[in-house]
Amino acid sequence: MKNFAFSLPTKVYFGKGQIDHLTELADYGKKALLVYGGGSIKRNGIFDRAVELLTGAGVEVVELGGVEPNPRVTTVNRGAQMCRDQGIDMVLAIGGGSTIDSSKAIAAAAKYDGDAWDLVLDNSKVADALPVFDVLTLAATGSETNGTAVISNLDVPAKLALKSPRVYPTISILDPTYTFTVSRKQTAAGSADMMSHTFENYFSFEPGADLQRRFGEGLLRTIIDNAPVALEHPDDYEARANLMWTASHAISGIAGAGLAVGWVCHPMEHELSAYYDVTHGEGLAVLTPVWMEHILSDKTAPYFATYGRNVWGVTAGDDMAAAKEAIAHTREFLFGTLGIPSTLREIGVPDASNFEVMAASAEKRTLGSFVPLDKAAVVSIYEDAL
Ligand code: NZQ
Ligand code: ZN
């Protein structure tokens, strides 16, 4: 097991009615920027409840709506300017990963004299940030319990992560009932995303780290058990609660500590989002089985076989046979059970014209992975996934 640092400074209030804890924001200042997306929080009543609680506690609310899925740096710059102009003390995100990510970047950019994209390109420039809070409405990214914000710049185009200990949410409110209204498509994509986070941590040649590996298998089994229930019965509280808590820990660091050697499907997917505005979880779902098949070898087979035996109950004694069964189960779950489209074309990538340039960019982050992928390997995965 590698050395690691582990810190999870976010206070989580989990369960029904926990939004009442928003009154605690009064301890952090008098004026909050309330950031949200395309309006789902206005339709399901969370917006009104949040404003009622905050104003009741003496916190003035300034609104910034319209955060895009795959959030843009232009919106971050606009939010940061609002914070500076209007004397904002803190940023409250209500929504999914896109809203929380842009709120983190806004909080950092509000304290930076320049373009927010500078902070994305050079995370060491994040010297300070306003406190960030969130009410999560979609179980997927784990942004509620980490210090990452993934931001898109359409001018490059690029989608990259701002990572800083300064942007961890101070408080995250996780009420599973808020995810009852999440669509079938987003429930499936979110489940694929948390699965991918687990895979990115789980597949490693690092010896030991037994607890982290068992955490990973537990996360995967929880998704496999609960995502189909949530798809069938969107208001099943236990299924939604299990997915929500799993999402928070698939990427909180607890399952990857001492193991992580670099992520691979994520950098490849972020290029798809940057170029084609692909839904993150769908892009990951399409790439994942292709990636697994691409790197399957005598060296990796035992790792896929262990995954198959411990997560899917595969019984084949031969590692290569068990590994192939595990990958087949993964494919069937993503495209059959979850119903996610299985090709890049179906999710908005029309052709291979940008694969070379996308792969050149992804390669900067895929060479340090479980099995390093150079540009040619990334192009080949994109082509097989098309
Ligand atoms: O914008 P609104 O109207 O709220 O609608 C959203 C959006 O259209 C909708 N939605 C959210 N909660 C809902 C709801 N609809 C009905 N009822 C609710 N309760 O869902 C749509 C997608 O929302 P979005 O926030 O974009 O989804 P998600 O949470 O999957 O976030 C995706 C973004 O997070 C990044 C992705 O790259 C992508 O940009 N990631 C962030 C990570 C992190 N911070 O650590 C890690 C991830 O790997 C990922 O890269
Ligand atoms: Zn992800």
Side-chain angles (χ1 to χ4, degrees):
M1 195 190 317
K2 288 184 189 298
N3 291 357
F4 60 86
F6 178 76
S7 166
L8 191 39
T10 302
K11 179 166 195 175
V12 172
Y13 287 111
F14 191 101
K16 292 175 192 166
Q18 295 284 35
I19 197 169
D20 291 354
H21 287 282
L22 276 184
T23 54
E24 292 176 25
L25 268 60
D27 297 341
Y28 298 85
K30 295 206 164 312
K31 211 168 182 181
L33 184 71
L34 196 170
V35 181
Y36 59 94
S40 70
I41 68 158
K42 293 212 165 168
R43 290 188 293 278
N44 57 23
I46 306 172
F47 176 87
D48 288 341
R49 179 70 182 137
V51 171
E52 181 189 13
L53 285 161
L54 289 169
T55 48
V59 176
E60 187 186 338
V61 175
V62 177
E63 268 186 63
L64 173 63
V67 171
E68 315 81 0
N70 297 326
R72 316 289 196 251
V73 72
T74 44
T75 307
V76 173
N77 276 322
R78 191 151 51 90
Q81 193 62 45
M82 287 172 76
C83 290
R84 289 189 290 261
D85 291 348
Q86 302 189 43
I88 299 286
D89 299 309
M90 59 197 137
V91 184
L92 168 63
I94 307 186
S98 296
T99 296
I100 302 176
D101 283 4
S102 46
S103 298
K104 291 171 176 174
I106 288 168
K111 295 281 191 174
Y112 175 74
D113 187 16
D115 192 313
W117 192 244
D118 299 347
L119 305 179
V120 178
L121 291 178
D122 181 356
N123 295 177
S124 71
K125 289 187 173 161
V126 181
D128 198 2
L130 295 173
V132 178
F133 304 84
D134 66 85
V135 179
L136 181 67
T137 65
L138 198 172
T141 66
S143 186
E144 63 277 12
T145 47
N146 70 34
T148 301
V150 186
I151 304 298
S152 292
N153 185 333
L154 298 186
D155 293 338
V156 181
K159 185 179 189 192
L160 296 169
L162 180 162
K163 290 181 189 234
S164 168
R166 296 186 172 82
V167 300
Y168 270 84
T170 303
I171 294 175
S172 287
I173 293 175
L174 275 54
D175 181 338
T177 64
Y178 292 164
T179 65
F180 288 176
T181 53
V182 174
S183 66
R184 208 181 158 80
K185 173 190 163 96
Q186 292 294 342
T187 300
S191 301
D193 188 21
M194 49 184 113
M195 264 185 123
S196 177
H197 297 158
T198 312
F199 290 142
E200 303 274 28
N201 288 312
Y202 180 80
F203 289 112
S204 161
F205 293 121
E206 186 65 27
D210 293 5
L211 177 62
Q212 293 88 320
R213 287 191 157 93
R214 299 297 88 80
F215 272 140
E217 289 159 3
L219 294 165
L220 291 166
R221 290 185 61 148
T222 308
I223 299 161
I224 290 161
D225 288 346
N226 288 281
V229 180
L231 287 175
E232 192 67 23
H233 306 286
D235 57 355
D236 185 305
Y237 182 82
E238 291 304 330
R240 292 293 194 181
N242 282 321
L243 288 176
M244 199 172 223
W245 196 224
T246 299
S248 297
H249 286 296
I251 192 173
S252 69
I254 198 161
L259 271 176
V261 288
W263 287 28
V264 58
C265 285
H266 273 69
M268 290 193 288
E269 193 295 310
H270 285 162
E271 298 298 324
L272 297 175
S273 293
Y275 277 79
Y276 300 107
D277 209 13
V278 157
T279 297
H280 175 61
E282 292 189 340
L284 291 168
V286 174
L287 293 173
T288 294
V290 179
W291 162 71
M292 288 177 167
E293 279 153 8
H294 189 93
I295 65 163
L296 182 60
S297 66
D298 288 343
K299 188 177 175 198
T300 59
Y303 294 82
F304 287 114
T306 302
Y307 155 60
R309 292 179 186 121
N310 293 351
V311 174
W312 292 106
V314 169
T315 54
D318 173 67
D319 279 351
M320 185 56 81
K324 285 183 178 165
E325 258 191 72
I327 297 171
H329 277 294
T330 311
R331 191 178 273 286
E332 169 53 28
F333 183 76
L334 292 168
F335 308 133
T337 310
L338 296 186
I340 296 174
S342 61
T343 66
L344 292 182
R345 270 189 226 280
E346 289 170 275
I347 60 170
V349 182
D351 54 42
S353 55
N354 286 315
F355 286 177
E356 290 282 335
V357 59
M358 288 160 56
S361 173
E363 184 198 48
K364 294 179 197 135
R365 291 171 293 282
T366 55
L367 286 170
S369 55
F370 178 47
V371 176
L373 298 182
D374 62 12
K375 184 182 151 194
V378 176
V379 169
S380 151
I381 290 172
Y382 285 147
E383 284 173 350
D384 288 350
L386 189 61

